[in-house]
Structure formats: C-alpha cells, structure tokens
Amino acid sequence: MNSDIKVIKNIEKITGKPVKFVKGDILDGKLLDKVLKKENFDAVIHFAGLKAVGESGEKPLWYYKNNVAGTVTLLESMAKHNVKKIVFSSSACVYGVPKALPYTEALPVTKATNPYGETKIMIERILESQASADKDFSAIILRYFNPVGAHESGLIGEDPTVPNNLMPYIAQVAVGRRPVLQIFGNDYKTPDGTGIRDYIHVVDLAIGHVAAIEKIKTAGVHVFNLGTGKGASVLEIVKAYERANGKPIPYKFVPRRDGDLAIYYASCDKAKKVLGWTATRNIDDMCQSVVKYMESKK
Ligand code: UFG
C-alpha cells in the first residue's frame, strides 16, 4: 500500500537473486492458503502491518482489522499448511510509558499509548496463545526501536508521501520539498531539551531478523529488543544529517506532540547473548545512507 513496485527489481539487484512476488491482502485467507500450499516455507517473516501512530488514533478499526485480524488470518493459514515458525515485527511502543530505562524484555507489557501500539500488544498475546496451544510453534517477536536509514546502495529506502516520522521529514526538508522541520518540544528533561530515541539502521535491523531465524531452533515465544542501546536527541539527529549532507537543515521549535515520550532506549543485551547480534551502524551512518538514497531519487 505504501510501497513501490520498483523495490522488487532493486532487491533483485542488491541480492543478485530473483524475487518471487505475489500481490495480495493479508486479510485474504484464500490467497494465503494458495501461496502457503504451493511453497514449502520454513518460516514466515510478517511485516504486513499499518504503522502510523497518529492515523491509528483516527482510524482505530482499520488498524485492528488489518493488523490483528490480518495476523489471525495468516496464523490460520500457517496452521493449515504446517508452517511452524513466525517472525513478527513488534515495537518498542508495547512498553507504554517507561517504568524503567533502558527498556528490557522483562518489563511488563500492559498498555500502549495509542491504538497502533495496542495492535502490537494484542498480536503478541495471540502469538503466546498459539504457542501454548501448539507445542511445535515458534514465535519470534522483535520489538523494533526507531528504524531509520536506507540500504547502503541507495537503491531502497523510505520516502513517504506524508512523512510522520523524524528522519523522512528531515530528508524532505533537506531536498527542499518541505520548507522547515518542526521540532516537537525543546523543554523535555533531556540534555538539549528535545526528545531522545534509540534509532536503529534498517540494515542492522534486517541482519537481526536473519540472526533470529538462524539461531532460534526451539518452539515457544522468543522476544528481543532490536535497537542500539543508545539514545539520540532530535537535535543530534539534525546535526548528524547536516554533517552527512553538508548543508544546514532549517528547523524551528514548536510545542510538544501529543502522546510523545521524553526519552526511551533499548537494552539489547538479550539479542547479543542469544542471537549474537549487535547493531554496528551509528547515527552518522544512518544519515549518510538517507542522503545517498535521496540523491539517487533525483
Ligand atoms: N519529531 C519531531 N519532528 C517531526 C517528527 C518527529 O521533532 O517532524 C520528534 C518526535 O517528537 C520524537 C522524535 O522526533 O521525539 C522521533 O519521532 P518519530 O515520529 O520519528 O518516532 P516515534 O518515536 O514517535 O515513533 C516511532 C515509530 C512508531 C513506534 C515507536 C516505537 O514511528 O511506529 O517509534 O516506540 F511505535
């Protein structure tokens, strides 16, 4: 829905392998049955979710239908065709308002601050129920922190029509498509007053998925945070982008955005210990990859 069909060709260029592609809706159980029957999958990596926090507040039913009912439809089809392993894209937002920092997987998951986050919590619970009902079923839940960046080749990246998140917004200001970045709040209790998040390069994130698929051989539920373990403020990201792009980013401070938290970041000790995975790319690498991607689109 938010994707570009050209991405398939570019993935083929990067990997040097053909990509089998079927266009369909995750709510279409018949189509899922057809695909899962035909191919002999070892595992499913489930990315088919809506992800805009603000939009989830405006259209909650759409979010619950696509994300929650869509996952149930997928799990039904997997059960029918004996596919016993799923990797699910969850989110740091399942932790809700921080009770302790850094976030560890052991923290209780009770309430998110928006319907998007609630869908992630519900799906995690559904996966737990399925794993306790089917003793051969393996659910790997990856809680992403703030994924940003693009592939180092500049061939695939993120450039939404309406950017909701910081990095694509900065990128569009940098190329002159938007006049100014609005920084939501400079009065948080953080060193420079702007919000702090744990940004993770999408390539590190992708490598984390491969590690999870390869290392987790047992049934049950396996939960991992995928982040860097370090926070960066909005102003630090702006400065890193300016370094990468060699030009200043016009910005202005505006009031805080509703529902934003001041600061959170991950503990990634579990992913390091169990998966042997650690993020290796820093915020300069993240910004450089976005600059390259935006250049390649000119
Ligand atoms: N920000 C701005 N200006 C903007 C956009 C964002 O100042 O135009 C600030 C925010 O206030 C926040 C930081 O930049 O301090 C990051 O905001 P994002 O919108 O990029 O990301 P969020 O941390 O709000 O949310 C992200 C994902 C969600 C996910 C959540 C996980 O977008 O899908 O992380 O905790 F749920």
Side-chain angles (χ1 to χ4, degrees):
M1 205 175 53
N2 293 313
S3 318
D4 186 334
I5 193 75
K6 286 201 287 289
V7 165
I8 305 283
K9 282 265 157 306
N10 289 336
I11 292 173
E12 289 180 336
K13 266 194 214 160
I14 292 168
T15 60
K17 291 183 187 154
V19 173
K20 279 192 193 173
F21 171 68
V22 178
K23 186 174 175 180
D25 188 326
I26 188 148
L27 288 159
D28 184 350
K30 285 206 176 83
L31 178 69
L32 293 178
D33 279 343
K34 213 170 118 189
V35 175
L36 269 73
K37 191 173 170 199
K38 194 164 154 232
E39 308 284 344
N40 196 10
F41 291 116
D42 299 316
V44 169
I45 306 183
H46 172 24
F47 295 122
L50 298 170
K51 65 170 217 55
V53 171
E55 187 181 59
S56 78
E58 289 149 26
K59 300 176 186 168
L61 301 181
W62 193 45
Y63 270 67
Y64 287 111
K65 189 169 176 181
N66 276 283
N67 291 7
V68 181
T71 303
V72 172
T73 311
L74 173 63
L75 291 171
E76 281 175 339
S77 189
M78 286 174 64
K80 251 189 248 171
H81 301 285
N82 226 23
V83 183
K84 296 290 188 183
K85 194 182 218 178
I86 188 166
V87 180
F88 172 62
S89 310
S90 191
S91 165
C93 66
V94 301
Y95 294 112
V97 177
K99 286 144 201 101
L101 280 173
Y103 286 169
T104 68
E105 294 85 349
L107 284 172
V109 166
T110 48
K111 189 156 182 27
T113 53
N114 54 71
Y116 159 75
E118 287 296 315
T119 71
K120 296 291 179 192
I121 293 178
M122 285 180 188
I123 297 166
E124 289 199 4
R125 302 246 153 92
I126 291 167
L127 293 171
E128 281 163 21
S129 302
Q130 183 63 357
S132 76
D134 177 351
K135 298 298 177 209
D136 297 322
F137 184 75
S138 171
I140 303 168
I141 293 172
L142 302 180
R143 294 181 180 154
Y144 303 173
F145 279 69
N146 282 55
V148 297
H151 189 261
E152 280 102 357
S153 61
L155 285 169
I156 48 177
E158 178 190 27
D159 189 20
T161 324
V162 184
N164 291 300
N165 299 114
L166 180 64
M167 189 65 91
Y169 208 103
I170 293 179
Q172 295 189 7
V173 171
V175 295
R177 222 185 295 158
R178 295 180 189 272
V180 59
L181 169 73
Q182 300 194 334
I183 297 184
F184 301 138
N186 62 344
D187 56 352
Y188 285 108
K189 282 194 186 134
T190 58
D192 65 21
T194 65
I196 291 182
R197 296 287 180 276
D198 186 341
Y199 296 91
I200 171 168
H201 196 301
V202 285
V203 171
D204 279 326
L205 196 66
I207 294 169
H209 288 67
V210 178
I213 292 258
E214 285 176 354
K215 288 278 163 65
I216 304 292
K217 306 275 186 212
T218 52
V221 179
H222 310 268
V223 183
F224 298 99
N225 288 338
L226 295 185
T228 62
K230 282 197 251 345
S233 72
V234 176
L235 279 174
E236 283 172 322
I237 296 290
V238 170
K239 297 292 160 214
Y241 205 96
E242 289 177 340
R243 278 195 297 277
N245 200 35
K247 275 185 266 176
I249 299 287
Y251 67 81
K252 64 176 184 201
F253 294 115
V254 298
R256 295 179 180 192
R257 183 170 67 177
D258 264 1
D260 269 352
L261 299 166
I263 170 165
Y264 58 85
Y265 50 92
S267 157
C268 302
D269 294 351
K270 190 177 171 198
K272 187 173 178 188
K273 198 166 149 213
V274 181
L275 306 178
W277 173 90
T278 319
T280 60
R281 291 158 180 83
N282 62 24
I283 59 171
D284 286 306
D285 301 319
M286 299 174 204
C287 293
Q288 282 158 17
S289 71
V290 177
V291 169
K292 183 163 181 190
Y293 173 66
M294 296 305 279
E295 285 287 320
S296 75
K297 294 194 66 167
K298 274 186 190 161

